[in-house]
Amino acid sequence: MPVPQHIDSQAAGRQLLVGHRELRAQLAALRAALDEEGGLAAAVGGNGDGVSLVQQLRARCLEYCLGLHHHHTMEDGAFPVFEQRYPEIAPVIERLREEHRQVAAGLERLTKLVESDDGQDVNWLRGELERTVAGIEEHFVYEETYLLPALGVTPPGPSSS
């Protein structure tokens, strides 16, 4: 497949930040919903009647997983261009590709665990979510720290994450 050369590096970097901000907001909403009385009903816009916490969590996880998969697919498509333009960051891009694979595997494990759970142990669900999220956040920070400057985009400060 030919590598698209028309990618604007700075625009791609800014879009990466927008994607990270949106994905972080989704995670924050999911975490908040797990902490609220009544589970995820408020986060998914329902009243919870007839829908268990685990069913709501499954829906949220699917939404999040699809969004993150799309985000990483877009990044993976741009990486060959960045490698050609900025050969000095090839090791960074290779690490990001590997992290994309690891994040995908973590999300798949979380999805399988949530699908097999009966939904009664919110603390267990929260723990599994936190383990998965920790890896995702580390990935975002690495990407913002090492890829964005090469693309000509200023990384966000610690309070912007």
Side-chain angles (χ1 to χ4, degrees):
M1 174 188 295
V3 175
Q5 296 299 316
H6 64 279
I7 293 175
D8 177 332
S9 297
Q10 286 186 329
R14 288 188 299 271
Q15 185 57 41
L16 179 141
L17 283 175
V18 168
H20 286 186
R21 190 170 34 254
E22 290 171 358
L23 290 164
R24 283 175 171 131
Q26 286 179 355
L27 283 173
L30 181 55
R31 285 172 160 153
L34 282 170
D35 289 338
E36 288 177 11
E37 186 176 342
L40 294 172
V44 295
N47 62 10
D49 292 342
V51 180
S52 72
L53 173 66
V54 75
Q55 289 170 322
Q56 294 173 55
L57 183 59
R58 283 180 191 143
R60 274 297 242 207
C61 281
L62 179 58
E63 175 188 338
Y64 183 78
C65 290
L66 287 173
L68 187 58
H69 175 74
H70 175 73
H71 177 78
H72 282 172
T73 299
M74 298 297 288
E75 288 178 1
D76 288 339
F79 284 167
V81 173
F82 300 154
E83 286 173 314
Q84 288 176 0
R85 288 184 190 165
Y86 317 107
E88 68 278 8
I89 64 165
V92 169
I93 291 174
E94 188 51 42
R95 176 175 165 170
L96 293 173
R97 282 187 177 112
E98 177 57 31
E99 287 181 0
H100 285 182
R101 289 187 285 271
Q102 291 172 5
V103 166
L107 289 174
E108 185 176 331
R109 281 190 305 275
L110 178 64
T111 300
K112 286 179 182 177
L113 290 169
V114 169
E115 288 174 350
S116 67
D117 182 47
D118 64 7
Q120 300 305 309
D121 189 349
V122 175
N123 290 328
W124 178 84
L125 291 172
R126 176 69 182 245
E128 291 302 318
L129 178 66
E130 290 303 322
R131 279 187 279 287
T132 302
V133 167
I136 294 168
E137 184 57 33
E138 286 176 24
H139 169 72
F140 286 172
V141 169
Y142 181 83
E143 197 166 49
E144 291 167 359
T145 302
Y146 295 100
L147 180 61
L148 289 180
L151 303 180
V153 176
T154 304
S159 62
S160 299
S161 295

mmCIF file of all heavy atoms in Angstrom, residues 73-115:
data_model
loop_
_atom_site.group_PDB
_atom_site.id
_atom_site.type_symbol
_atom_site.label_atom_id
_atom_site.label_comp_id
_atom_site.label_asym_id
_atom_site.label_seq_id
_atom_site.Cartn_x
_atom_site.Cartn_y
_atom_site.Cartn_z
ATOM 1 N N THR A 73 -5.603 3.114 14.669
ATOM 2 C CA THR A 73 -5.556 2.800 13.235
ATOM 3 C C THR A 73 -5.130 4.033 12.439
ATOM 4 O O THR A 73 -4.305 3.939 11.525
ATOM 5 C CB THR A 73 -6.923 2.285 12.744
ATOM 6 O OG1 THR A 73 -7.238 1.086 13.459
ATOM 7 C CG2 THR A 73 -6.910 2.007 11.253
ATOM 8 N N MET A 74 -5.672 5.188 12.803
ATOM 9 C CA MET A 74 -5.293 6.436 12.122
ATOM 10 C C MET A 74 -3.810 6.731 12.355
ATOM 11 O O MET A 74 -3.092 7.105 11.426
ATOM 12 C CB MET A 74 -6.156 7.602 12.623
ATOM 13 C CG MET A 74 -7.636 7.444 12.340
ATOM 14 S SD MET A 74 -8.016 7.387 10.586
ATOM 15 C CE MET A 74 -7.723 9.092 10.181
ATOM 16 N N GLU A 75 -3.359 6.570 13.586
ATOM 17 C CA GLU A 75 -1.944 6.800 13.883
ATOM 18 C C GLU A 75 -1.060 5.839 13.106
ATOM 19 O O GLU A 75 -0.052 6.247 12.512
ATOM 20 C CB GLU A 75 -1.677 6.633 15.383
ATOM 21 C CG GLU A 75 -2.223 7.746 16.224
ATOM 22 C CD GLU A 75 -1.981 7.505 17.707
ATOM 23 O OE1 GLU A 75 -1.367 6.477 18.086
ATOM 24 O OE2 GLU A 75 -2.411 8.360 18.494
ATOM 25 N N ASP A 76 -1.406 4.558 13.125
ATOM 26 C CA ASP A 76 -0.601 3.568 12.412
ATOM 27 C C ASP A 76 -0.492 3.896 10.928
ATOM 28 O O ASP A 76 0.539 3.661 10.305
ATOM 29 C CB ASP A 76 -1.173 2.160 12.599
ATOM 30 C CG ASP A 76 -0.957 1.609 14.010
ATOM 31 O OD1 ASP A 76 -0.056 2.103 14.723
ATOM 32 O OD2 ASP A 76 -1.701 0.686 14.390
ATOM 33 N N GLY A 77 -1.559 4.464 10.369
ATOM 34 C CA GLY A 77 -1.535 4.857 8.960
ATOM 35 C C GLY A 77 -0.597 6.020 8.686
ATOM 36 O O GLY A 77 -0.046 6.145 7.591
ATOM 37 N N ALA A 78 -0.395 6.878 9.677
ATOM 38 C CA ALA A 78 0.491 8.037 9.509
ATOM 39 C C ALA A 78 1.945 7.717 9.843
ATOM 40 O O ALA A 78 2.854 8.419 9.379
ATOM 41 C CB ALA A 78 0.008 9.189 10.390
ATOM 42 N N PHE A 79 2.185 6.682 10.607
ATOM 43 C CA PHE A 79 3.547 6.385 11.046
ATOM 44 C C PHE A 79 4.553 6.234 9.899
ATOM 45 O O PHE A 79 5.677 6.731 10.008
ATOM 46 C CB PHE A 79 3.579 5.155 11.947
ATOM 47 C CG PHE A 79 3.085 5.393 13.352
ATOM 48 C CD1 PHE A 79 2.806 4.319 14.170
ATOM 49 C CD2 PHE A 79 2.904 6.671 13.863
ATOM 50 C CE1 PHE A 79 2.353 4.509 15.478
ATOM 51 C CE2 PHE A 79 2.442 6.886 15.158
ATOM 52 C CZ PHE A 79 2.177 5.787 15.966
ATOM 53 N N PRO A 80 4.218 5.553 8.784
ATOM 54 C CA PRO A 80 5.210 5.439 7.705
ATOM 55 C C PRO A 80 5.657 6.806 7.165
ATOM 56 O O PRO A 80 6.832 6.990 6.830
ATOM 57 C CB PRO A 80 4.487 4.622 6.623
ATOM 58 C CG PRO A 80 3.472 3.829 7.383
ATOM 59 C CD PRO A 80 3.027 4.730 8.508
ATOM 60 N N VAL A 81 4.739 7.746 7.102
ATOM 61 C CA VAL A 81 5.086 9.094 6.645
ATOM 62 C C VAL A 81 6.056 9.737 7.626
ATOM 63 O O VAL A 81 7.073 10.318 7.247
ATOM 64 C CB VAL A 81 3.830 9.973 6.480
ATOM 65 C CG1 VAL A 81 4.199 11.418 6.173
ATOM 66 C CG2 VAL A 81 2.928 9.413 5.399
ATOM 67 N N PHE A 82 5.728 9.621 8.907
ATOM 68 C CA PHE A 82 6.586 10.221 9.928
ATOM 69 C C PHE A 82 7.970 9.582 9.928
ATOM 70 O O PHE A 82 8.973 10.266 10.109
ATOM 71 C CB PHE A 82 5.941 10.116 11.307
ATOM 72 C CG PHE A 82 4.615 10.811 11.424
ATOM 73 C CD1 PHE A 82 3.690 10.395 12.354
ATOM 74 C CD2 PHE A 82 4.285 11.887 10.596
ATOM 75 C CE1 PHE A 82 2.463 11.026 12.480
ATOM 76 C CE2 PHE A 82 3.056 12.525 10.705
ATOM 77 C CZ PHE A 82 2.147 12.089 11.646
ATOM 78 N N GLU A 83 8.036 8.277 9.710
ATOM 79 C CA GLU A 83 9.337 7.604 9.652
ATOM 80 C C GLU A 83 10.176 8.116 8.481
ATOM 81 O O GLU A 83 11.391 8.266 8.615
ATOM 82 C CB GLU A 83 9.154 6.094 9.524
ATOM 83 C CG GLU A 83 8.692 5.440 10.804
ATOM 84 C CD GLU A 83 8.357 3.977 10.629
ATOM 85 O OE1 GLU A 83 7.653 3.625 9.652
ATOM 86 O OE2 GLU A 83 8.779 3.190 11.484
ATOM 87 N N GLN A 84 9.526 8.392 7.361
ATOM 88 C CA GLN A 84 10.249 8.925 6.206
ATOM 89 C C GLN A 84 10.701 10.355 6.451
ATOM 90 O O GLN A 84 11.821 10.729 6.123
ATOM 91 C CB GLN A 84 9.378 8.860 4.949
ATOM 92 C CG GLN A 84 9.176 7.467 4.421
ATOM 93 C CD GLN A 84 8.234 7.437 3.228
ATOM 94 O OE1 GLN A 84 7.727 8.461 2.782
ATOM 95 N NE2 GLN A 84 7.977 6.244 2.711
ATOM 96 N N ARG A 85 9.835 11.162 7.014
ATOM 97 C CA ARG A 85 10.160 12.572 7.237
ATOM 98 C C ARG A 85 11.128 12.780 8.397
ATOM 99 O O ARG A 85 11.930 13.711 8.377
ATOM 100 C CB ARG A 85 8.881 13.363 7.533
ATOM 101 C CG ARG A 85 8.008 13.545 6.347
ATOM 102 C CD ARG A 85 6.818 14.414 6.697
ATOM 103 N NE ARG A 85 5.858 14.384 5.607
ATOM 104 C CZ ARG A 85 4.606 14.792 5.707
ATOM 105 N NH1 ARG A 85 4.169 15.287 6.857
ATOM 106 N NH2 ARG A 85 3.791 14.726 4.685
ATOM 107 N N TYR A 86 10.986 11.976 9.422
ATOM 108 C CA TYR A 86 11.760 12.158 10.657
ATOM 109 C C TYR A 86 12.416 10.828 11.047
ATOM 110 O O TYR A 86 12.036 10.204 12.034
ATOM 111 C CB TYR A 86 10.845 12.642 11.793
ATOM 112 C CG TYR A 86 9.871 13.718 11.380
ATOM 113 C CD1 TYR A 86 8.512 13.434 11.228
ATOM 114 C CD2 TYR A 86 10.303 15.019 11.122
ATOM 115 C CE1 TYR A 86 7.614 14.417 10.841
ATOM 116 C CE2 TYR A 86 9.407 16.008 10.732
ATOM 117 C CZ TYR A 86 8.068 15.697 10.588
ATOM 118 O OH TYR A 86 7.179 16.668 10.197
ATOM 119 N N PRO A 87 13.412 10.398 10.274
ATOM 120 C CA PRO A 87 14.015 9.083 10.552
ATOM 121 C C PRO A 87 14.605 8.973 11.957
ATOM 122 O O PRO A 87 14.698 7.870 12.501
ATOM 123 C CB PRO A 87 15.099 8.942 9.487
ATOM 124 C CG PRO A 87 15.233 10.258 8.828
ATOM 125 C CD PRO A 87 14.020 11.073 9.138
ATOM 126 N N GLU A 88 14.930 10.087 12.574
ATOM 127 C CA GLU A 88 15.507 10.061 13.915
ATOM 128 C C GLU A 88 14.516 9.566 14.976
ATOM 129 O O GLU A 88 14.922 9.166 16.067
ATOM 130 C CB GLU A 88 16.060 11.444 14.303
ATOM 131 C CG GLU A 88 15.011 12.523 14.496
ATOM 132 C CD GLU A 88 14.507 13.200 13.206
ATOM 133 O OE1 GLU A 88 14.848 12.754 12.091
ATOM 134 O OE2 GLU A 88 13.755 14.179 13.340
ATOM 135 N N ILE A 89 13.219 9.587 14.660
ATOM 136 C CA ILE A 89 12.242 9.111 15.651
ATOM 137 C C ILE A 89 11.730 7.702 15.335
ATOM 138 O O ILE A 89 10.766 7.248 15.945
ATOM 139 C CB ILE A 89 11.061 10.093 15.835
ATOM 140 C CG1 ILE A 89 10.242 10.220 14.551
ATOM 141 C CG2 ILE A 89 11.533 11.424 16.376
ATOM 142 C CD1 ILE A 89 8.885 10.870 14.769
ATOM 143 N N ALA A 90 12.417 7.010 14.445
ATOM 144 C CA ALA A 90 11.994 5.640 14.121
ATOM 145 C C ALA A 90 11.882 4.752 15.360
ATOM 146 O O ALA A 90 10.904 3.990 15.480
ATOM 147 C CB ALA A 90 12.928 5.019 13.086
ATOM 148 N N PRO A 91 12.812 4.835 16.326
ATOM 149 C CA PRO A 91 12.646 4.002 17.532
ATOM 150 C C PRO A 91 11.392 4.372 18.339
ATOM 151 O O PRO A 91 10.750 3.494 18.930
ATOM 152 C CB PRO A 91 13.909 4.282 18.349
ATOM 153 C CG PRO A 91 14.912 4.788 17.360
ATOM 154 C CD PRO A 91 14.104 5.518 16.313
ATOM 155 N N VAL A 92 11.046 5.641 18.369
ATOM 156 C CA VAL A 92 9.835 6.082 19.064
ATOM 157 C C VAL A 92 8.610 5.467 18.389
ATOM 158 O O VAL A 92 7.720 4.928 19.057
ATOM 159 C CB VAL A 92 9.737 7.626 19.082
ATOM 160 C CG1 VAL A 92 8.370 8.096 19.561
ATOM 161 C CG2 VAL A 92 10.852 8.227 19.930
ATOM 162 N N ILE A 93 8.581 5.537 17.076
ATOM 163 C CA ILE A 93 7.427 5.009 16.337
ATOM 164 C C ILE A 93 7.326 3.494 16.499
ATOM 165 O O ILE A 93 6.233 2.961 16.667
ATOM 166 C CB ILE A 93 7.488 5.441 14.859
ATOM 167 C CG1 ILE A 93 7.259 6.957 14.786
ATOM 168 C CG2 ILE A 93 6.475 4.675 14.021
ATOM 169 C CD1 ILE A 93 7.432 7.560 13.422
ATOM 170 N N GLU A 94 8.456 2.818 16.491
ATOM 171 C CA GLU A 94 8.416 1.362 16.687
ATOM 172 C C GLU A 94 7.866 1.030 18.078
ATOM 173 O O GLU A 94 7.062 0.118 18.228
ATOM 174 C CB GLU A 94 9.796 0.736 16.497
ATOM 175 C CG GLU A 94 9.752 -0.772 16.490
ATOM 176 C CD GLU A 94 8.719 -1.365 15.535
ATOM 177 O OE1 GLU A 94 8.558 -0.882 14.400
ATOM 178 O OE2 GLU A 94 8.026 -2.332 15.942
ATOM 179 N N ARG A 95 8.274 1.784 19.084
ATOM 180 C CA ARG A 95 7.732 1.564 20.434
ATOM 181 C C ARG A 95 6.227 1.825 20.450
ATOM 182 O O ARG A 95 5.460 1.074 21.060
ATOM 183 C CB ARG A 95 8.432 2.457 21.450
ATOM 184 C CG ARG A 95 7.820 2.326 22.835
ATOM 185 C CD ARG A 95 8.546 3.100 23.875
ATOM 186 N NE ARG A 95 7.731 3.219 25.078
ATOM 187 C CZ ARG A 95 8.167 3.681 26.218
ATOM 188 N NH1 ARG A 95 9.418 4.060 26.349
ATOM 189 N NH2 ARG A 95 7.344 3.772 27.255
ATOM 190 N N LEU A 96 5.789 2.887 19.771
ATOM 191 C CA LEU A 96 4.361 3.198 19.734
ATOM 192 C C LEU A 96 3.567 2.085 19.060
ATOM 193 O O LEU A 96 2.476 1.728 19.519
ATOM 194 C CB LEU A 96 4.115 4.544 19.050
ATOM 195 C CG LEU A 96 4.650 5.759 19.813
ATOM 196 C CD1 LEU A 96 4.510 7.019 18.973
ATOM 197 C CD2 LEU A 96 3.964 5.914 21.162
ATOM 198 N N ARG A 97 4.114 1.538 17.989
ATOM 199 C CA ARG A 97 3.434 0.408 17.332
ATOM 200 C C ARG A 97 3.284 -0.766 18.296
ATOM 201 O O ARG A 97 2.223 -1.389 18.376
ATOM 202 C CB ARG A 97 4.213 -0.044 16.100
ATOM 203 C CG ARG A 97 4.045 0.816 14.898
ATOM 204 C CD ARG A 97 4.729 0.154 13.693
ATOM 205 N NE ARG A 97 4.527 0.938 12.513
ATOM 206 C CZ ARG A 97 5.499 1.593 11.869
ATOM 207 N NH1 ARG A 97 6.741 1.548 12.296
ATOM 208 N NH2 ARG A 97 5.212 2.294 10.785
ATOM 209 N N GLU A 98 4.357 -1.073 19.018
ATOM 210 C CA GLU A 98 4.302 -2.175 19.984
ATOM 211 C C GLU A 98 3.294 -1.860 21.090
ATOM 212 O O GLU A 98 2.531 -2.734 21.510
ATOM 213 C CB GLU A 98 5.686 -2.446 20.572
ATOM 214 C CG GLU A 98 5.697 -3.538 21.636
ATOM 215 C CD GLU A 98 5.144 -4.875 21.154
ATOM 216 O OE1 GLU A 98 5.263 -5.209 19.955
ATOM 217 O OE2 GLU A 98 4.560 -5.591 21.994
ATOM 218 N N GLU A 99 3.280 -0.624 21.557
ATOM 219 C CA GLU A 99 2.306 -0.246 22.583
ATOM 220 C C GLU A 99 0.879 -0.347 22.052
ATOM 221 O O GLU A 99 -0.025 -0.726 22.792
ATOM 222 C CB GLU A 99 2.600 1.159 23.106
ATOM 223 C CG GLU A 99 3.831 1.200 23.984
ATOM 224 C CD GLU A 99 4.142 2.580 24.529
ATOM 225 O OE1 GLU A 99 3.404 3.551 24.231
ATOM 226 O OE2 GLU A 99 5.130 2.684 25.276
ATOM 227 N N HIS A 100 0.664 -0.027 20.786
ATOM 228 C CA HIS A 100 -0.667 -0.184 20.200
ATOM 229 C C HIS A 100 -1.096 -1.651 20.294
ATOM 230 O O HIS A 100 -2.251 -1.949 20.635
ATOM 231 C CB HIS A 100 -0.692 0.278 18.746
ATOM 232 C CG HIS A 100 -0.671 1.757 18.586
ATOM 233 N ND1 HIS A 100 -0.723 2.359 17.343
ATOM 234 C CD2 HIS A 100 -0.586 2.772 19.482
ATOM 235 C CE1 HIS A 100 -0.688 3.673 17.493
ATOM 236 N NE2 HIS A 100 -0.600 3.940 18.789
ATOM 237 N N ARG A 101 -0.174 -2.560 20.002
ATOM 238 C CA ARG A 101 -0.490 -3.994 20.095
ATOM 239 C C ARG A 101 -0.789 -4.375 21.552
ATOM 240 O O ARG A 101 -1.726 -5.128 21.822
ATOM 241 C CB ARG A 101 0.658 -4.833 19.529
ATOM 242 C CG ARG A 101 0.790 -4.735 18.007
ATOM 243 C CD ARG A 101 1.828 -5.699 17.448
ATOM 244 N NE ARG A 101 3.202 -5.274 17.694
ATOM 245 C CZ ARG A 101 3.929 -4.482 16.901
ATOM 246 N NH1 ARG A 101 3.407 -4.027 15.769
ATOM 247 N NH2 ARG A 101 5.166 -4.169 17.208
ATOM 248 N N GLN A 102 0.004 -3.863 22.492
ATOM 249 C CA GLN A 102 -0.200 -4.181 23.902
ATOM 250 C C GLN A 102 -1.517 -3.609 24.421
ATOM 251 O O GLN A 102 -2.240 -4.284 25.169
ATOM 252 C CB GLN A 102 0.966 -3.656 24.739
ATOM 253 C CG GLN A 102 2.257 -4.387 24.488
ATOM 254 C CD GLN A 102 3.443 -3.725 25.171
ATOM 255 O OE1 GLN A 102 3.303 -2.755 25.911
ATOM 256 N NE2 GLN A 102 4.630 -4.251 24.911
ATOM 257 N N VAL A 103 -1.827 -2.389 24.038
ATOM 258 C CA VAL A 103 -3.086 -1.763 24.456
ATOM 259 C C VAL A 103 -4.266 -2.563 23.902
ATOM 260 O O VAL A 103 -5.232 -2.836 24.619
ATOM 261 C CB VAL A 103 -3.152 -0.282 24.013
ATOM 262 C CG1 VAL A 103 -4.567 0.273 24.119
ATOM 263 C CG2 VAL A 103 -2.179 0.557 24.843
ATOM 264 N N ALA A 104 -4.179 -2.957 22.640
ATOM 265 C CA ALA A 104 -5.259 -3.748 22.035
ATOM 266 C C ALA A 104 -5.449 -5.061 22.789
ATOM 267 O O ALA A 104 -6.585 -5.469 23.067
ATOM 268 C CB ALA A 104 -4.970 -4.004 20.557
ATOM 269 N N ALA A 105 -4.344 -5.711 23.154
ATOM 270 C CA ALA A 105 -4.433 -6.969 23.904
ATOM 271 C C ALA A 105 -5.047 -6.727 25.287
ATOM 272 O O ALA A 105 -5.869 -7.518 25.753
ATOM 273 C CB ALA A 105 -3.056 -7.610 24.029
ATOM 274 N N GLY A 106 -4.676 -5.630 25.939
ATOM 275 C CA GLY A 106 -5.242 -5.304 27.251
ATOM 276 C C GLY A 106 -6.727 -5.034 27.176
ATOM 277 O O GLY A 106 -7.502 -5.486 28.037
ATOM 278 N N LEU A 107 -7.146 -4.305 26.159
ATOM 279 C CA LEU A 107 -8.575 -4.026 25.994
ATOM 280 C C LEU A 107 -9.348 -5.301 25.679
ATOM 281 O O LEU A 107 -10.475 -5.484 26.143
ATOM 282 C CB LEU A 107 -8.793 -2.978 24.902
ATOM 283 C CG LEU A 107 -8.353 -1.564 25.257
ATOM 284 C CD1 LEU A 107 -8.474 -0.659 24.041
ATOM 285 C CD2 LEU A 107 -9.131 -0.999 26.427
ATOM 286 N N GLU A 108 -8.726 -6.179 24.912
ATOM 287 C CA GLU A 108 -9.385 -7.453 24.610
ATOM 288 C C GLU A 108 -9.554 -8.282 25.884
ATOM 289 O O GLU A 108 -10.616 -8.859 26.125
ATOM 290 C CB GLU A 108 -8.564 -8.234 23.580
ATOM 291 C CG GLU A 108 -9.239 -9.508 23.120
ATOM 292 C CD GLU A 108 -8.456 -10.216 22.026
ATOM 293 O OE1 GLU A 108 -7.738 -9.556 21.255
ATOM 294 O OE2 GLU A 108 -8.570 -11.448 21.959
ATOM 295 N N ARG A 109 -8.514 -8.308 26.735
ATOM 296 C CA ARG A 109 -8.617 -9.031 28.007
ATOM 297 C C ARG A 109 -9.716 -8.424 28.881
ATOM 298 O O ARG A 109 -10.523 -9.142 29.464
ATOM 299 C CB ARG A 109 -7.279 -9.001 28.764
ATOM 300 C CG ARG A 109 -6.250 -9.987 28.254
ATOM 301 C CD ARG A 109 -5.054 -10.095 29.184
ATOM 302 N NE ARG A 109 -4.408 -8.830 29.466
ATOM 303 C CZ ARG A 109 -3.470 -8.253 28.706
ATOM 304 N NH1 ARG A 109 -3.077 -8.847 27.592
ATOM 305 N NH2 ARG A 109 -2.932 -7.101 29.053
ATOM 306 N N LEU A 110 -9.740 -7.103 28.974
ATOM 307 C CA LEU A 110 -10.760 -6.441 29.789
ATOM 308 C C LEU A 110 -12.152 -6.766 29.269
ATOM 309 O O LEU A 110 -13.051 -7.087 30.048
ATOM 310 C CB LEU A 110 -10.542 -4.927 29.798
ATOM 311 C CG LEU A 110 -11.586 -4.117 30.576
ATOM 312 C CD1 LEU A 110 -11.553 -4.466 32.056
ATOM 313 C CD2 LEU A 110 -11.366 -2.631 30.362
ATOM 314 N N THR A 111 -12.325 -6.710 27.967
ATOM 315 C CA THR A 111 -13.627 -7.011 27.366
ATOM 316 C C THR A 111 -14.055 -8.436 27.709
ATOM 317 O O THR A 111 -15.206 -8.672 28.093
ATOM 318 C CB THR A 111 -13.579 -6.812 25.845
ATOM 319 O OG1 THR A 111 -13.245 -5.450 25.575
ATOM 320 C CG2 THR A 111 -14.900 -7.145 25.188
ATOM 321 N N LYS A 112 -13.140 -9.396 27.577
ATOM 322 C CA LYS A 112 -13.476 -10.790 27.897
ATOM 323 C C LYS A 112 -13.830 -10.942 29.369
ATOM 324 O O LYS A 112 -14.762 -11.666 29.713
ATOM 325 C CB LYS A 112 -12.315 -11.714 27.527
ATOM 326 C CG LYS A 112 -12.186 -11.930 26.042
ATOM 327 C CD LYS A 112 -11.020 -12.831 25.704
ATOM 328 C CE LYS A 112 -10.911 -12.985 24.192
ATOM 329 N NZ LYS A 112 -9.745 -13.793 23.807
ATOM 330 N N LEU A 113 -13.080 -10.260 30.240
ATOM 331 C CA LEU A 113 -13.365 -10.333 31.666
ATOM 332 C C LEU A 113 -14.725 -9.737 31.990
ATOM 333 O O LEU A 113 -15.494 -10.303 32.769
ATOM 334 C CB LEU A 113 -12.268 -9.631 32.466
ATOM 335 C CG LEU A 113 -10.923 -10.330 32.500
ATOM 336 C CD1 LEU A 113 -9.865 -9.413 33.095
ATOM 337 C CD2 LEU A 113 -11.005 -11.640 33.269
ATOM 338 N N VAL A 114 -15.031 -8.596 31.397
ATOM 339 C CA VAL A 114 -16.313 -7.948 31.644
ATOM 340 C C VAL A 114 -17.448 -8.818 31.113
ATOM 341 O O VAL A 114 -18.482 -8.967 31.759
ATOM 342 C CB VAL A 114 -16.346 -6.538 31.014
ATOM 343 C CG1 VAL A 114 -17.744 -5.963 31.018
ATOM 344 C CG2 VAL A 114 -15.388 -5.621 31.752
ATOM 345 N N GLU A 115 -17.253 -9.434 29.953
ATOM 346 C CA GLU A 115 -18.299 -10.279 29.379
ATOM 347 C C GLU A 115 -18.552 -11.518 30.217
ATOM 348 O O GLU A 115 -19.658 -12.037 30.242
ATOM 349 C CB GLU A 115 -17.938 -10.665 27.947
ATOM 350 C CG GLU A 115 -18.068 -9.509 26.985
ATOM 351 C CD GLU A 115 -17.585 -9.833 25.583
ATOM 352 O OE1 GLU A 115 -16.962 -10.894 25.371
ATOM 353 O OE2 GLU A 115 -17.837 -8.996 24.695
#
